[in-house]
Amino acid sequence: MLSITDKTFIEKSFPVWDKLNEDEKKLFLNNTKVASYKKGDIIFKNDSECLGLIIIKSGKLRTFMMSEEGREITLYRLETDDICVLSASCVIYQITFDSFIEAEKNSEIFILNVNTFSKLFEQNIYFSNFVLSNATERFSDVMWTMQQILFMNIDKRLAIFLIDESNKSDSLKLNITHEQIAKYIGSSREVISRMLNYFQKQKYIKLFRGGLLITNKDKLKELIKN
Amino acid sequence: MLSITDKTFIEKSFPVWDKLNEDEKKLFLNNTKVASYKKGDIIFKNDSECLGLIIIKSGKLRTFMMSEEGREITLYRLETDDICVLSASCVIYQITFDSFIEAEKNSEIFILNVNTFSKLFEQNIYFSNFVLSNATERFSDVMWTMQQILFMNIDKRLAIFLIDESNKSDSLKLNITHEQIAKYIGSSREVISRMLNYFQKQKYIKLFRGGLLITNKDKLKELIKN
């Protein structure tokens, strides 16, 4: 059973809560449990099981894809209040690709079980609308990243640039704006900013106002070799 | 102005037509035009313009992404009755990556202009639900393909296998099932079937019951080099 604090948390976090009728709200709360995961735990593999909708109570989750050789690509991260529909993908017939979710920190999450999720997805148009909107937004973001990696080699070009600059200045700290990097690489500021954010998510670098710090030069070097 | 035949076509093709009220139906029809494109015409580039929702009346469209060097990857194809929401992506804030649409044959299409699309997307939940569902499904499919290319190298492994087999038998026609290919490559039948379908879409091969015909061996060889 959820505590009153937990119930309030869910009511505030779920964007279309007001669009559920009283029965649906009860159904939602009665079929949601709290689960704890330790840092490093795999919460979900979508080829083997079906979990349901996740709301993050505390901690941090990471969603990723994995190659046969174990190479990972981070899709996105989820923090307190965020909602993840990927873990319910088994009942969203529109979603068919493989993904994983792991706890990046010790985390507590709410899980709405998959039968109830499925029921609400079928019967409440606002609920399904929210789920599809969430999925479209996440996928679009991921597709942008994959497009850059697959086509533009912006990841490699950026990695080469950062390593060269670091070698030249003999420092891991680079005082250079996204605008300047874009000019040097011959790309747009928007593309460079998004790729820098992606590098930060992957923990290769740390961004600060007016520059960046290379936190994992070896990983950047690996990028170039691929 | 649309002809009565055109109106009937739209009413039948648009999946949630019945969920629009009379005013919305009129708005839809009054703001839809027919446009003709010749084979090879670019109908849409999403970095430069906004078109609206497309319903294919006749012909065939192809959606694709393009690299800076002009390399293309086909996302999916659209034929009579199909609906494309990518061309309205400027008003779907969830969609942010770049894509193109071209006429692969001489085509006639209906275009619901972007202002009306936007209005219906905002005010009618069934309309937006259909749009997001369509987008989620297409993206999920595309992500699957990108994942295989990016991670698994299944495209390369399959290309190598097909070329080897073709050389061994000195024939472009291979009598081999998807199941058998999967076994040889060490993958699953489902993965191989989807990648073979992707190869067929790219016109590298033509599938038939119990086998396949290599129609562009040079393109398959190029795949291996990348």
Side-chain angles (χ1 to χ4, degrees):
Chain A
M1 273 296 288
L2 297 175
S3 70
I4 291 175
T5 322
D6 283 346
K7 286 183 182 174
T8 310
F9 186 97
I10 291 171
E11 288 166 12
K12 283 195 182 158
S13 303
F14 197 69
V16 293
W17 187 257
D18 291 344
K19 300 288 188 183
L20 306 181
N21 66 34
E22 288 312 309
D23 284 347
E24 290 167 338
K25 284 178 185 173
K26 264 185 219 158
L27 195 67
F28 193 124
L29 294 174
N30 290 339
N31 288 285
T32 298
K33 62 171 187 179
V34 194
S36 296
Y37 292 91
K38 291 243 170 301
K39 181 179 169 175
D41 284 352
I42 295 292
I43 297 172
F44 171 74
K45 285 192 261 191
N46 86 332
D47 55 346
S48 64
E49 54 186 322
C50 205
L51 199 62
L53 180 123
I54 291 174
I55 303 176
I56 290 83
K57 186 179 174 186
S58 67
K60 199 176 201 175
L61 309 189
R62 183 175 72 101
T63 68
F64 62 98
M65 291 176 163
M66 192 155 66
S67 74
E68 287 178 353
E69 301 85 35
R71 189 159 67 95
E72 295 177 6
I73 192 170
T74 298
L75 300 179
Y76 46 86
R77 286 185 163 77
L78 299 156
E79 302 190 47
T80 304
D81 258 2
D82 283 341
I83 287 166
C84 184
V85 303
L86 207 55
S87 45
S89 58
C90 54
V91 292
I92 311 174
Y93 84 92
Q94 291 93 340
I95 302 182
T96 53
F97 70 98
D98 301 330
S99 57
F100 297 79
I101 303 175
E102 73 158 9
E104 203 169 51
K105 293 180 181 174
N106 293 343
S107 300
E108 275 201 302
I109 65 177
F110 296 110
I111 304 172
L112 169 66
N113 76 39
V114 78
N115 287 336
T116 313
F117 174 86
S118 179
K119 199 172 173 203
L120 291 171
F121 189 78
E122 287 301 318
Q123 85 182 35
N124 188 310
I125 184 100
Y126 297 97
F127 185 93
S128 68
N129 212 58
F130 164 71
V131 168
L132 294 169
S133 172
N134 184 303
T136 304
E137 191 172 353
R138 300 281 190 195
F139 289 3
S140 175
D141 236 35
V142 170
M143 280 180 69
W144 184 90
T145 306
M146 290 181 118
Q147 186 182 11
Q148 303 308 314
I149 294 175
L150 208 57
F151 275 156
M152 312 297 181
N153 283 321
I154 292 284
D155 59 333
K156 276 186 206 178
R157 282 157 56 192
L158 185 55
I160 291 169
F161 176 80
L162 296 178
I163 289 167
D164 286 353
E165 286 300 300
S166 162
N167 290 343
K168 269 192 249 170
S169 61
D170 199 22
S171 162
L172 292 172
K173 196 177 159 191
L174 305 178
N175 293 304
I176 187 163
T177 65
H178 301 189
E179 186 89 44
Q180 289 169 315
I181 298 175
K183 263 191 204 160
Y184 285 121
I185 292 184
S187 181
S188 70
R189 197 200 52 76
E190 196 230 5
V191 165
I192 294 302
S193 292
R194 289 182 74 165
M195 192 53 76
L196 285 170
N197 280 320
Y198 173 73
F199 277 13
Q200 181 166 258
K201 273 197 227 159
Q202 300 281 25
K203 310 239 165 111
Y204 303 157
I205 63 168
K206 215 177 158 83
L207 296 170
F208 58 82
R209 182 174 269 281
L212 60 95
L213 180 72
I214 297 174
T215 51
N216 197 334
K217 203 166 174 176
D218 289 341
K219 280 279 177 189
L220 280 183
K221 284 181 186 165
E222 258 178 46
L223 259 191
I224 299 172
K225 280 184 216 145
N226 285 329
Chain B
M1 277 294 289
L2 297 175
S3 69
I4 292 174
T5 322
D6 283 345
K7 288 183 182 173
T8 310
F9 185 97
I10 291 171
E11 289 165 11
K12 282 195 183 159
S13 302
F14 197 70
V16 292
W17 187 257
D18 291 343
K19 299 289 187 182
L20 306 180
N21 66 33
E22 287 313 308
D23 285 346
E24 290 167 339
K25 284 178 185 174
K26 265 185 217 157
L27 194 69
F28 194 124
L29 294 174
N30 290 339
N31 288 284
T32 298
K33 63 171 187 178
V34 193
S36 297
Y37 292 91
K38 291 241 171 299
K39 181 178 170 175
D41 284 352
I42 296 292
I43 296 172
F44 171 73
K45 285 192 263 190
N46 85 331
D47 56 346
S48 65
E49 54 185 324
C50 205
L51 199 62
L53 180 123
I54 291 174
I55 304 175
I56 290 83
K57 185 179 173 186
S58 66
K60 200 175 200 176
L61 309 189
R62 182 175 73 101
T63 68
F64 62 99
M65 291 177 162
M66 191 154 67
S67 75
E68 288 177 352
E69 302 84 34
R71 189 157 68 94
E72 295 177 7
I73 192 169
T74 299
L75 301 178
Y76 46 86
R77 288 186 162 77
L78 299 156
E79 302 190 46
T80 304
D81 259 2
D82 283 341
I83 287 167
C84 184
V85 303
L86 208 55
S87 46
S89 57
C90 53
V91 293
I92 310 173
Y93 83 94
Q94 291 92 339
I95 302 184
T96 54
F97 69 98
D98 301 328
S99 57
F100 297 78
I101 304 174
E102 74 158 8
E104 203 169 50
K105 294 181 181 173
N106 293 341
S107 299
E108 276 201 302
I109 64 177
F110 296 110
I111 304 172
L112 170 66
N113 76 40
V114 77
N115 288 335
T116 312
F117 174 87
S118 180
K119 199 169 174 209
L120 292 171
F121 189 78
E122 289 302 320
Q123 84 182 35
N124 187 309
I125 184 100
Y126 297 97
F127 185 93
S128 68
N129 213 57
F130 164 72
V131 168
L132 293 169
S133 171
N134 184 302
T136 304
E137 191 172 352
R138 301 281 190 196
F139 289 2
S140 174
D141 236 38
V142 170
M143 280 180 70
W144 185 91
T145 306
M146 290 181 118
Q147 185 182 12
Q148 302 309 312
I149 294 174
L150 208 57
F151 276 156
M152 311 298 181
N153 283 321
I154 292 285
D155 59 333
K156 277 187 206 178
R157 283 158 56 192
L158 185 55
I160 291 168
F161 176 81
L162 296 179
I163 289 167
D164 286 354
E165 286 300 300
S166 161
N167 290 343
K168 269 193 248 169
S169 62
D170 199 22
S171 161
L172 292 171
K173 195 177 162 192
L174 305 178
N175 292 304
I176 186 163
T177 66
H178 301 188
E179 186 90 45
Q180 288 169 315
I181 297 175
K183 264 191 204 160
Y184 285 121
I185 291 183
S187 182
S188 72
R189 197 200 51 76
E190 195 229 4
V191 165
I192 294 303
S193 292
R194 289 182 73 165
M195 191 53 76
L196 286 170
N197 280 320
Y198 173 72
F199 277 13
Q200 181 166 258
K201 274 198 224 159
Q202 300 282 26
K203 309 241 165 109
Y204 303 158
I205 62 168
K206 214 177 160 83
L207 296 170
F208 58 82
R209 184 175 268 281
L212 60 95
L213 181 72
I214 297 174
T215 50
N216 197 334
K217 202 166 177 177
D218 289 342
K219 282 278 177 190
L220 281 182
K221 284 180 186 165
E222 260 177 46
L223 260 190
I224 299 173
K225 281 185 217 146
N226 284 330

